[in-house]
């Protein structure tokens, strides 16, 4: 893997701290920053219903994914000069691991409270295990 850093900005009330730490690590390693917003399945269902019924906007996985990507960009734009964004839908830990693998990142920076956020983390006895299995370093930010 490269020295890419995935900054997870969903499921946190402090995305600025996550972005700052990701940028610092990217500067130290010369790696790229990938800003990721993941929407858990339970929140996806709510978002789809809200968009369809209240706003009469056509929905579907692609529409919601684009909304997530725009949220990631909106958070990252004031804080970072160079970055790539992505929006994902699914079980957050699985989506984070899959995305990090896809972009060749070796580090994930996320809110230190892995149980916080809007359905951000799958309930598991050991939430970091999927990261360890893929040899991803996880940097919690408090």
């Amino acid at each position: 893997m490269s020295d890419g850093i995935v900054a997870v900005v969903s499921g946190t009330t402090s995305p600025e701290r996550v972005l700052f730490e990701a940028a610092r690590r990217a500067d130290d390693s010369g790696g790229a920053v990938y800003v990721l917003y993941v929407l858990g399945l339970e929140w996806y269902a709510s978002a789809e219903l809200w968009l369809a019924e209240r706003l009469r906007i056509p929905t579907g996985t692609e529409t919601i994914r684009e909304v997530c990507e725009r949220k990631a960009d909106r958070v990252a734009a004031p804080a970072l000069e160079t970055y790539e964004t992505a929006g994902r839908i699914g079980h957050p830990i699985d989506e984070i691991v899959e995305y990090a693998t896809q972009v060749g990142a070796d580090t994930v920076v996320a809110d230190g409270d892995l149980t916080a956020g809007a359905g951000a983390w799958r309930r598991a006895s050991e939430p970091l295990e999927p990261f360890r299995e893929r040899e991803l370093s996880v940097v919690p930010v408090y």
Side-chain angles (χ1 to χ4, degrees):
M1 286 198 185
S2 72
D3 292 321
I5 313 292
V6 174
V8 181
V9 295
S10 52
T12 181
T13 56
S14 303
E16 305 82 20
R17 286 188 290 202
V18 170
L19 292 170
F20 175 77
E21 182 62 23
R24 188 184 71 71
R25 287 177 176 271
D27 284 345
D28 290 348
S29 69
V33 177
Y34 302 93
V35 182
L36 178 63
Y37 191 100
V38 181
L39 190 65
L41 293 174
E42 63 276 10
W43 292 96
Y44 165 72
S46 296
E48 189 171 60
L49 184 65
W50 187 77
L51 287 171
E53 289 186 354
R54 299 251 175 131
L55 302 180
R56 305 276 188 236
I57 294 174
T59 60
T61 304
E62 190 60 27
T63 300
I64 303 296
R65 189 199 59 73
E66 288 171 3
V67 168
C68 291
E69 190 166 338
R70 283 195 302 272
K71 285 183 177 189
D73 188 54
R74 200 170 21 248
V75 170
L80 302 173
E81 288 182 26
T82 307
Y83 59 91
E84 289 184 33
T85 58
R88 305 285 290 246
I89 299 165
H91 296 290
I93 289 177
D94 296 338
E95 294 299 324
I96 294 165
V97 169
E98 184 178 306
Y99 181 69
T101 301
Q102 176 186 335
V103 298
D106 61 359
T107 303
V108 174
V109 179
D111 192 300
D113 184 2
L114 296 179
T115 61
W121 304 99
R122 175 177 59 185
R123 288 170 180 79
S125 58
E126 182 53 67
L128 297 180
E129 191 60 33
F131 296 112
R132 288 189 193 117
E133 290 171 0
R134 295 283 178 94
E135 297 181 1
L136 288 169
S137 173
V138 178
V139 177
V141 176
Y142 296 96

